[in-house]
Amino acid sequence: MSVGLGPTGRGERAALSSAALSSAAPVARRAWSAVGAFAAIRALGLLALVLWSRANDKDAHALLSARWDSLWYVRVVESGYDFTLTAPDGRVLSDLAFFPLLPWLEQALAAVTPLGPGDAGLLVSAVAGPLAAWALYLTGRHLHGHRAGLLLAAVWAAVPVGIVQSMAYSEALFTALAAWALYAVLRRRWVEAGLLASLAGLTRPVGLAVAAALWAGAVVEARRTRRVDARLLTGAVLAPLGAAGYVLWVGARRGSVFGYLHVQAEWGNGFDGGLAYGKFIVDHLGGWPVVLAGLGMIAGTALALWAYGACVRGGQPLPLLVYTGIVMALALCSSGYFGSKPRLLLPAFPLLLPVAVALSRMRGVGAVGVVGALSVASAVYGATWLNGSGPP
């Protein structure tokens, strides 16, 4: 037995379509407020980076487009998947670790514009960031209303590592694809969700979290309606194809079905349940000033876990909980470079929903003051971070 809107005639269907179009217009107009807030916060972060970089005789443009992972993406554009680098400890690092959608887009833009691959990557992030903010707004609005959606987009822009959203990295692109896919799941647009999930899977390994979220939503929907329609099944099949396709391609090149895992192991990345991360924290509790870093990691991890608990207690839809849980598990329980963990948590935007809801209930200009303070702190931290250790 399926649950629907009941039988409707042609006239009634036309009336429903007209009503949907008329209600979509004010939603789109309101979404621009969230996109504008996101853009303003990111502009503040970029201004702080430019000023800080000048004071340190560094090039802000190079920090955004030509360091760390962004260089690996450029190498993929320039030479294909053929580049390796021998680390000082003898490990051979391969560019096969980097998923292909961002370098594909960089290559396409470089072919039709005067931009080089690095600047094309900046353009991709410049477009993807506002698109992600738009999807975050719609998700927050769908679950908790306009103010929550607006504040979700703003708080995501103002997280401490928000400067990564403006770099030639894949985080902004991935979050945009993941957020739109999850919103499509919440609205039961299964084919659209499956296509977006597949693209997310071509962007980062954690793209499989988006596919898992779609599957969770599909199970909930099938139990609710007691049937599996063709569109739901199509979306569920499409969702993992991007990630699975790339992993299988790497496996074929490496001559092993586990080839991609071997590539990640060469980079020092593996899933160990958080043992290496725990040891890293303990090692930073033994003296001054490294103890501050250890305490900061403990506080940050505890805050992320508390936020996830708040998401569960707040009754977030299962697809969002599944997605966020997998993103957190892969970020916190892997043995990779520990300085990357805050960046790896950046796509876990549902963690910020309880914060956005709490801020939306504040009276007067309290929420504006909180977001403003977060934005300034994020701008200062991002400028300092990129002029220092940065987000490799």
Side-chain angles (χ1 to χ4, degrees):
M1 176 180 180
S2 64
V3 179
L5 295 175
T8 57
R10 182 179 300 174
E12 290 173 314
R13 285 195 295 269
L16 288 171
S17 298
S18 176
L21 288 173
S22 63
S23 64
V27 172
R29 286 196 296 269
R30 286 190 162 197
W32 280 111
S33 61
V35 173
F38 170 87
I41 293 169
R42 293 294 354 112
L44 176 63
L46 290 173
L47 176 61
L49 176 65
V50 170
L51 296 176
W52 204 283
S53 299
R54 286 181 179 175
N56 287 275
D57 294 322
K58 293 187 178 180
D59 183 356
H61 175 262
L63 292 176
L64 293 169
S65 66
R67 290 189 70 184
W68 304 297
D69 288 7
S70 56
L71 287 176
W72 285 89
Y73 288 118
V74 169
R75 291 180 184 122
V76 172
V77 173
E78 293 176 343
S79 62
Y81 281 102
D82 290 318
F83 183 81
T84 59
L85 179 68
T86 302
D89 59 5
R91 289 177 298 130
V92 179
L93 309 180
S94 170
D95 56 9
L96 290 169
F98 297 90
F99 275 50
L101 186 57
L102 178 57
W104 284 348
L105 293 174
E106 290 178 343
Q107 187 172 34
L109 286 171
V112 299
T113 70
L115 298 175
D119 287 333
L122 291 181
L123 179 58
V124 170
S125 291
V127 173
L131 287 175
W134 187 2
L136 265 61
Y137 166 77
L138 292 175
T139 300
R141 179 185 179 277
H142 177 74
L143 296 174
H144 300 288
H146 166 71
R147 279 175 59 83
L150 171 62
L151 288 163
L152 177 61
V155 172
W156 185 67
V159 295
V161 295
I163 191 66
V164 176
Q165 300 161 8
S166 302
M167 297 180 67
Y169 269 44
S170 60
E171 272 73 16
L173 175 62
F174 175 79
T175 305
L177 292 167
W180 279 104
L182 291 170
Y183 179 66
V185 169
L186 296 179
R187 299 304 300 269
R188 301 186 181 93
R189 299 171 183 166
W190 302 110
V191 176
E192 176 185 330
L195 289 170
L196 289 165
S198 188
L199 290 173
L202 282 171
T203 308
R204 296 187 64 81
V206 75
L208 286 174
V210 189
L214 188 153
W215 292 337
V219 169
V220 171
E221 179 68 3
R223 293 185 63 180
R224 184 183 72 85
T225 63
R226 299 183 184 179
R227 67 187 181 91
V228 178
D229 65 36
R231 295 182 66 80
L232 185 150
L233 184 60
T234 300
V237 171
L238 287 172
L241 293 184
Y246 181 69
V247 168
L248 291 173
W249 179 78
V250 173
R253 286 185 61 123
R254 284 298 185 100
S256 168
V257 69
F258 300 110
Y260 185 76
L261 296 180
H262 297 158
V263 170
Q264 287 288 355
E266 291 162 359
W267 278 84
N269 295 327
F271 190 87
D272 64 358
L275 293 177
Y277 183 43
K279 182 178 183 302
F280 185 78
I281 292 176
V282 171
D283 290 343
H284 281 72
L285 296 177
W288 186 267
V290 294
V291 66
L292 296 178
L295 293 174
M297 286 182 283
I298 292 174
T301 303
L303 183 60
L305 293 173
W306 174 86
Y308 189 71
C311 293
V312 175
R313 293 190 299 272
Q316 269 191 25
L318 182 62
L320 296 187
L321 294 176
V322 168
Y323 167 78
T324 307
I326 294 175
V327 173
M328 287 182 61
L330 292 177
L332 297 178
C333 298
S334 64
S335 57
Y337 179 71
F338 302 102
S340 297
K341 294 192 180 295
R343 172 173 68 88
L344 297 178
L345 285 170
L346 189 59
F349 66 88
L351 288 176
L352 301 174
L353 259 174
V355 178
V357 172
L359 289 174
S360 72
R361 294 170 179 165
M362 296 180 67
R363 295 182 179 275
V365 296
V368 175
V370 171
V371 173
L374 290 174
S375 302
V376 171
S378 173
V380 173
Y381 179 81
T384 308
W385 191 39
L386 251 62
N387 277 276
S389 62

